[in-house]
Amino acid sequence: MAVLTDLINLNLSDRTDKIIAEYIWIGGSGLDLRSKARTLPGPVSDPSKLPQWNYDGSSTGQALGQDSEVILHPQAIFRDPFRRGNNILVMCDCYTPAGEPIPTNKRYSAAKIFSHPNVNAEEPWYGIEQEYTLLQKDVKWPLGWPVGGYPGPQGPYYCSAGADKSFGRDIVDAHYKACLYAGISISGINGEVMPGQWEFQVGPVVGISSGDQLWVARYILERITEIAGVVLSLDPKPIEGDWNGAGAHTNYSTKSMRSDGGFEAIKKAIEKLKLRHKEHISAYGEGNERRLTGRHETADINTFSWGVANRGASVRVGRETEKDGKGYFEDRRPASNMDPYVVTSLIAETTILWKPA
C-alpha cells in the first residue's frame, strides 16, 4: 500500500511537461457526476484552449446505442487536489455531434440568461449552502447512527464537537481544504442539526460560475467519500420522521440590492418570487415535498412566505440587511439535490427579466 500511495503522489512536473485533465460532466439522472481523464501536452488555464472530447452517452442514459456519441465542451478549469501539480479538473457541458445541447445540459440555458445585458448589469451574486448526509456504505444508514437504530433526538449535534455527536469531520475538513486548493470559493462548513449531516457554503460567486463551482465541489466530495468508503446522499429528506431534511439555501443579491436603498429592490424581487412560487418549486429539486412540510425550519411547500430572521419562511431576510437598508436575501426553498444552474438562473430571470402581467 505504501508503494501504491507513492505512485499516486508522483509529481509529474519533475519528469514531463504533460498534464492530466479530468473532464467532468453531469450524467443522465441530472444529478450523477461522471468523469474521465486525458493527457495534454502542457499546462492550460483557459477552457477555450482545451480540446472538446466525447463519451458513450448510451452508458449514461443520455443517448441511444446506435447514435451514442455525446460531445464534451470544456467550460471551467480548477486545480486538481488529487493529482496536484499542474493537473486540472475541467467542468464540461454536453452537446450532440451537431452542436445542440442535450436535454440534461442545463448550463446552456443558464448561460443565456446570465449573458443577457440586463442580468449582466446587475452582477448577481450567489452564496449556496449545500447540505448533505454521509451514509454508511453497506447499510445506507447515516454515519454515526447505530445500524437499524436511531441516535438520541436532535439538539446536541448542530455545530457540535465530540465522538458521540460529530460524525465524519475528517471527510468534511478534507473536502474543505481540497476545494480551497482547487480554487473554489468555499466560504465555510458546519455540522448540521441531524447527526451525520453537514453543510458547506460556496460564494459569493457571480452568475454562471456559481453553478460551475458548486458542481465541482460536489464532484470533489464524491471523490473524497469514495476514498473514505462512505456514501454521499443529497436526498432532501434522507430519514423520515422528526429529523431535519437537507436543503441548498440560495443567498442572492444584485447590484441594486447591494446599493443604498436596496431594501426596496429586495422587497420587489421577493414579490416576484411569490408570484412565480409554483414554477420555482417545480425546479427546486426532486422529493422536496418530503422536506418542505412547515416543520424542521421549513415553510410549507404550497405557501409562500417571507420574513426577517425567520427560518420557517420561504425567503429569509437577515437582520443586518434590514438594519442597513440593503444587502441580500436567502431563498430557503431549494432542495439539497437541486441543479444550481437551474436555480441560480431562474432566480435571476424572475427577479431581473420577468415582467408580471
Side-chain angles (χ1 to χ4, degrees), residues 12-310:
L12 296 178
S13 60
D14 290 343
R15 297 294 178 192
T16 179
D17 291 332
K18 293 178 180 179
I19 69 160
I20 301 172
E22 189 81 27
Y23 279 43
I24 304 165
W25 70 95
I26 299 160
S29 73
L31 190 63
D32 56 316
L33 284 159
R34 310 291 181 117
S35 73
K36 61 177 184 172
R38 67 182 297 168
T39 304
L40 298 176
V44 183
S45 58
D46 181 352
S48 69
K49 305 297 185 187
L50 288 167
Q52 293 179 7
W53 205 7
N54 66 77
Y55 66 92
D56 171 17
S58 69
S59 295
T60 62
Q62 293 170 295
L64 299 174
Q66 62 268 31
D67 186 15
S68 64
E69 196 166 281
V70 178
I71 311 301
L72 292 169
H73 289 206
Q75 298 293 354
I77 292 175
F78 300 86
R79 292 183 291 275
D80 186 339
F82 303 102
R83 296 187 177 105
R84 286 171 273 190
N86 291 321
N87 304 300
I88 55 176
L89 304 177
V90 183
M91 190 65 206
C92 304
D93 60 353
C94 305
Y95 296 80
T96 68
E100 295 296 318
I102 66 172
T104 51
N105 181 355
K106 306 303 183 184
R107 191 187 191 280
Y108 179 81
S109 296
K112 287 173 67 175
I113 290 171
F114 285 120
S115 64
H116 191 287
N118 293 358
V119 175
N120 201 41
E122 282 288 357
E123 295 179 12
W125 291 4
Y126 297 90
I128 300 176
E129 305 170 27
Q130 176 69 70
E131 295 178 338
Y132 60 93
T133 308
L134 298 174
L135 304 179
Q136 301 169 57
K137 181 181 174 183
D138 296 325
V139 293
K140 301 293 177 69
W141 200 237
L143 199 65
W145 291 37
V147 176
Y150 295 85
Q154 295 184 154
Y157 309 108
Y158 173 69
C159 295
S160 65
D164 59 340
K165 296 181 286 293
S166 180
F167 312 112
R169 189 184 299 276
D170 52 347
I171 294 169
V172 175
D173 278 349
H175 177 251
Y176 195 172
K177 290 182 177 180
C179 284
L180 286 171
Y181 180 93
I184 291 168
S185 298
I186 186 169
S187 48
I189 57 97
N190 61 269
E192 270 303 330
V193 177
M194 189 183 88
Q197 195 175 82
W198 292 82
E199 172 185 303
F200 66 89
Q201 303 94 32
V202 172
V205 182
V206 179
I208 195 72
S209 294
S210 178
D212 291 337
Q213 292 199 25
L214 191 73
W215 274 116
V216 175
R218 286 175 173 178
Y219 173 80
I220 292 172
L221 185 54
E222 287 277 18
R223 289 281 303 274
I224 290 171
T225 53
E226 172 191 325
I227 294 166
V230 171
V231 174
L232 169 65
S233 172
L234 297 182
D235 190 306
K237 186 71 174 179
I239 303 295
E240 295 299 322
D242 196 16
W243 305 98
N244 275 34
H249 303 155
T250 302
N251 299 276
Y252 171 70
S253 71
T254 62
K255 185 182 287 187
S256 298
M257 296 175 193
R258 297 187 295 270
S259 302
D260 290 342
F263 196 48
E264 287 305 311
I266 289 172
K267 287 192 286 187
K268 287 177 182 177
I270 292 173
E271 184 58 29
K272 284 185 171 185
L273 291 175
K274 177 182 178 180
L275 295 174
R276 296 186 90 187
H277 177 62
K278 287 185 178 179
E279 184 172 345
H280 279 254
I281 287 294
S282 69
Y284 275 13
E286 293 294 324
N288 213 7
E289 72 283 350
R290 294 183 284 116
R291 167 180 162 260
L292 297 180
T293 61
R295 300 182 63 217
H296 305 111
E297 301 180 67
T298 70
D300 180 80
I301 194 168
N302 297 309
T303 306
F304 183 91
S305 60
W306 76 276
V308 175
N310 184 356

